[in-house]
mmCIF file of all heavy atoms in Angstrom:
data_model
loop_
_atom_site.group_PDB
_atom_site.id
_atom_site.type_symbol
_atom_site.label_atom_id
_atom_site.label_comp_id
_atom_site.label_asym_id
_atom_site.label_seq_id
_atom_site.Cartn_x
_atom_site.Cartn_y
_atom_site.Cartn_z
ATOM 1 N N ILE A 224 17.211 2.981 -8.603
ATOM 2 C CA ILE A 224 16.956 4.267 -9.257
ATOM 3 C C ILE A 224 17.533 4.306 -10.664
ATOM 4 O O ILE A 224 17.006 4.984 -11.545
ATOM 5 C CB ILE A 224 17.517 5.431 -8.400
ATOM 6 C CG1 ILE A 224 16.968 6.767 -8.932
ATOM 7 C CG2 ILE A 224 19.030 5.428 -8.374
ATOM 8 C CD1 ILE A 224 17.257 7.928 -8.027
ATOM 9 N N PRO A 232 5.479 9.162 -18.747
ATOM 10 C CA PRO A 232 4.139 9.639 -19.089
ATOM 11 C C PRO A 232 3.311 9.773 -17.824
ATOM 12 O O PRO A 232 3.480 8.975 -16.884
ATOM 13 C CB PRO A 232 3.586 8.540 -20.001
ATOM 14 C CG PRO A 232 4.301 7.297 -19.559
ATOM 15 C CD PRO A 232 5.672 7.740 -19.135
ATOM 16 N N ASN A 246 -1.639 -2.447 -5.863
ATOM 17 C CA ASN A 246 -2.228 -2.525 -7.197
ATOM 18 C C ASN A 246 -3.334 -1.497 -7.384
ATOM 19 O O ASN A 246 -4.077 -1.189 -6.441
ATOM 20 C CB ASN A 246 -2.804 -3.919 -7.453
ATOM 21 C CG ASN A 246 -1.731 -4.956 -7.708
ATOM 22 O OD1 ASN A 246 -0.598 -4.626 -8.056
ATOM 23 N ND2 ASN A 246 -2.068 -6.209 -7.527
ATOM 24 N N TYR A 250 -9.511 1.529 -16.089
ATOM 25 C CA TYR A 250 -10.191 1.285 -17.357
ATOM 26 C C TYR A 250 -9.856 2.457 -18.267
ATOM 27 O O TYR A 250 -10.189 3.605 -17.971
ATOM 28 C CB TYR A 250 -11.697 1.173 -17.145
ATOM 29 C CG TYR A 250 -12.505 1.078 -18.418
ATOM 30 C CD1 TYR A 250 -12.265 0.067 -19.337
ATOM 31 C CD2 TYR A 250 -13.509 2.011 -18.696
ATOM 32 C CE1 TYR A 250 -12.992 -0.021 -20.515
ATOM 33 C CE2 TYR A 250 -14.253 1.922 -19.866
ATOM 34 C CZ TYR A 250 -13.987 0.908 -20.772
ATOM 35 O OH TYR A 250 -14.715 0.818 -21.931
ATOM 36 N N ILE A 264 3.501 -0.015 -22.918
ATOM 37 C CA ILE A 264 3.624 -1.465 -23.065
ATOM 38 C C ILE A 264 4.830 -1.821 -23.949
ATOM 39 O O ILE A 264 5.520 -2.814 -23.708
ATOM 40 C CB ILE A 264 2.324 -2.060 -23.649
ATOM 41 C CG1 ILE A 264 1.207 -1.999 -22.600
ATOM 42 C CG2 ILE A 264 2.532 -3.492 -24.113
ATOM 43 C CD1 ILE A 264 -0.170 -2.316 -23.141
ATOM 44 N N GLY A 289 3.627 12.441 -7.385
ATOM 45 C CA GLY A 289 2.729 11.349 -7.746
ATOM 46 C C GLY A 289 3.424 10.016 -7.515
ATOM 47 O O GLY A 289 4.497 9.959 -6.904
ATOM 48 N N LEU A 306 -8.304 -2.647 -20.210
ATOM 49 C CA LEU A 306 -8.352 -2.872 -18.765
ATOM 50 C C LEU A 306 -6.926 -3.183 -18.323
ATOM 51 O O LEU A 306 -6.247 -4.003 -18.947
ATOM 52 C CB LEU A 306 -9.259 -4.047 -18.423
ATOM 53 C CG LEU A 306 -10.725 -3.941 -18.860
ATOM 54 C CD1 LEU A 306 -11.424 -5.288 -18.686
ATOM 55 C CD2 LEU A 306 -11.443 -2.873 -18.042
ATOM 56 N N LYS A 324 2.984 14.184 -26.222
ATOM 57 C CA LYS A 324 3.306 13.133 -27.197
ATOM 58 C C LYS A 324 2.068 12.267 -27.409
ATOM 59 O O LYS A 324 1.511 11.731 -26.455
ATOM 60 C CB LYS A 324 4.462 12.265 -26.697
ATOM 61 C CG LYS A 324 4.814 11.124 -27.652
ATOM 62 C CD LYS A 324 5.918 10.245 -27.090
ATOM 63 C CE LYS A 324 6.235 9.096 -28.027
ATOM 64 N NZ LYS A 324 7.272 8.189 -27.468
ATOM 65 N N ARG A 329 3.899 14.293 -20.575
ATOM 66 C CA ARG A 329 5.124 13.622 -20.125
ATOM 67 C C ARG A 329 5.913 14.558 -19.229
ATOM 68 O O ARG A 329 5.834 15.779 -19.376
ATOM 69 C CB ARG A 329 5.992 13.217 -21.320
ATOM 70 C CG ARG A 329 5.308 12.320 -22.349
ATOM 71 C CD ARG A 329 6.236 12.083 -23.538
ATOM 72 N NE ARG A 329 6.612 13.346 -24.155
ATOM 73 C CZ ARG A 329 7.772 13.577 -24.776
ATOM 74 N NH1 ARG A 329 8.684 12.619 -24.866
ATOM 75 N NH2 ARG A 329 8.031 14.761 -25.308
ATOM 76 N N ILE A 330 6.686 13.972 -18.336
ATOM 77 C CA ILE A 330 7.488 14.774 -17.411
ATOM 78 C C ILE A 330 8.891 14.208 -17.289
ATOM 79 O O ILE A 330 9.158 13.061 -17.667
ATOM 80 C CB ILE A 330 6.850 14.812 -16.005
ATOM 81 C CG1 ILE A 330 6.750 13.380 -15.438
ATOM 82 C CG2 ILE A 330 5.496 15.489 -16.024
ATOM 83 C CD1 ILE A 330 6.913 13.289 -13.962
ATOM 84 N N ILE A 331 9.786 15.039 -16.724
ATOM 85 C CA ILE A 331 11.068 14.558 -16.217
ATOM 86 C C ILE A 331 10.884 14.382 -14.715
ATOM 87 O O ILE A 331 10.610 15.355 -14.006
ATOM 88 C CB ILE A 331 12.203 15.549 -16.514
ATOM 89 C CG1 ILE A 331 12.414 15.677 -18.024
ATOM 90 C CG2 ILE A 331 13.503 15.090 -15.837
ATOM 91 C CD1 ILE A 331 13.455 16.709 -18.419
ATOM 92 N N ILE A 336 14.280 11.523 -4.040
ATOM 93 C CA ILE A 336 13.774 11.781 -2.681
ATOM 94 C C ILE A 336 12.903 10.633 -2.167
ATOM 95 O O ILE A 336 12.467 10.654 -1.016
ATOM 96 C CB ILE A 336 12.994 13.110 -2.620
ATOM 97 C CG1 ILE A 336 11.870 13.142 -3.657
ATOM 98 C CG2 ILE A 336 13.914 14.289 -2.805
ATOM 99 C CD1 ILE A 336 11.022 14.402 -3.585
ATOM 100 N N ILE A 353 -2.967 -1.143 15.456
ATOM 101 C CA ILE A 353 -3.546 0.133 15.893
ATOM 102 C C ILE A 353 -4.432 0.710 14.791
ATOM 103 O O ILE A 353 -5.533 1.210 15.044
ATOM 104 C CB ILE A 353 -2.429 1.131 16.275
ATOM 105 C CG1 ILE A 353 -1.722 0.659 17.542
ATOM 106 C CG2 ILE A 353 -3.005 2.530 16.481
ATOM 107 C CD1 ILE A 353 -0.475 1.456 17.874
ATOM 108 N N LYS A 376 -0.192 -10.587 5.431
ATOM 109 C CA LYS A 376 -0.042 -10.633 3.976
ATOM 110 C C LYS A 376 -0.283 -9.274 3.310
ATOM 111 O O LYS A 376 0.388 -8.920 2.364
ATOM 112 C CB LYS A 376 -1.013 -11.660 3.386
ATOM 113 C CG LYS A 376 -0.772 -13.084 3.857
ATOM 114 C CD LYS A 376 -1.806 -14.033 3.266
ATOM 115 C CE LYS A 376 -1.601 -15.452 3.780
ATOM 116 N NZ LYS A 376 -2.637 -16.380 3.253
ATOM 117 N N ILE A 382 -3.950 -1.248 2.891
ATOM 118 C CA ILE A 382 -5.046 -0.920 3.808
ATOM 119 C C ILE A 382 -5.398 0.557 3.688
ATOM 120 O O ILE A 382 -6.573 0.934 3.613
ATOM 121 C CB ILE A 382 -4.656 -1.258 5.261
ATOM 122 C CG1 ILE A 382 -4.412 -2.763 5.423
ATOM 123 C CG2 ILE A 382 -5.756 -0.810 6.229
ATOM 124 C CD1 ILE A 382 -3.832 -3.146 6.779
ATOM 125 N N SER A 393 -10.834 13.590 0.071
ATOM 126 C CA SER A 393 -10.674 14.677 -0.885
ATOM 127 C C SER A 393 -9.304 14.599 -1.553
ATOM 128 O O SER A 393 -8.414 13.857 -1.115
ATOM 129 C CB SER A 393 -10.800 16.026 -0.175
ATOM 130 O OG SER A 393 -9.685 16.230 0.687
ATOM 131 N N ASN A 394 -9.128 15.385 -2.608
ATOM 132 C CA ASN A 394 -7.834 15.480 -3.270
ATOM 133 C C ASN A 394 -6.724 15.851 -2.297
ATOM 134 O O ASN A 394 -5.634 15.283 -2.324
ATOM 135 C CB ASN A 394 -7.895 16.531 -4.390
ATOM 136 C CG ASN A 394 -8.062 15.909 -5.760
ATOM 137 O OD1 ASN A 394 -8.404 14.746 -5.888
ATOM 138 N ND2 ASN A 394 -7.820 16.687 -6.793
ATOM 139 N N ILE A 417 -9.481 9.640 9.940
ATOM 140 C CA ILE A 417 -10.650 8.824 10.313
ATOM 141 C C ILE A 417 -11.361 9.451 11.513
ATOM 142 O O ILE A 417 -12.588 9.589 11.528
ATOM 143 C CB ILE A 417 -10.228 7.381 10.628
ATOM 144 C CG1 ILE A 417 -9.722 6.671 9.364
ATOM 145 C CG2 ILE A 417 -11.400 6.591 11.225
ATOM 146 C CD1 ILE A 417 -9.076 5.315 9.634
ATOM 147 N N SER A 426 -21.115 15.787 14.299
ATOM 148 C CA SER A 426 -21.540 17.183 14.367
ATOM 149 C C SER A 426 -22.696 17.454 13.423
ATOM 150 O O SER A 426 -23.657 18.141 13.763
ATOM 151 C CB SER A 426 -20.348 18.098 14.031
ATOM 152 O OG SER A 426 -20.732 19.444 13.990
#
Side-chain angles (χ1 to χ4, degrees):
I224 193 170
N246 286 340
Y250 173 57
I264 289 169
L306 301 169
K324 178 183 179 183
R329 303 175 302 149
I330 60 147
I331 296 176
I336 55 177
I353 292 171
K376 298 178 182 178
I382 297 172
S393 69
N394 260 15
I417 293 171
S426 176

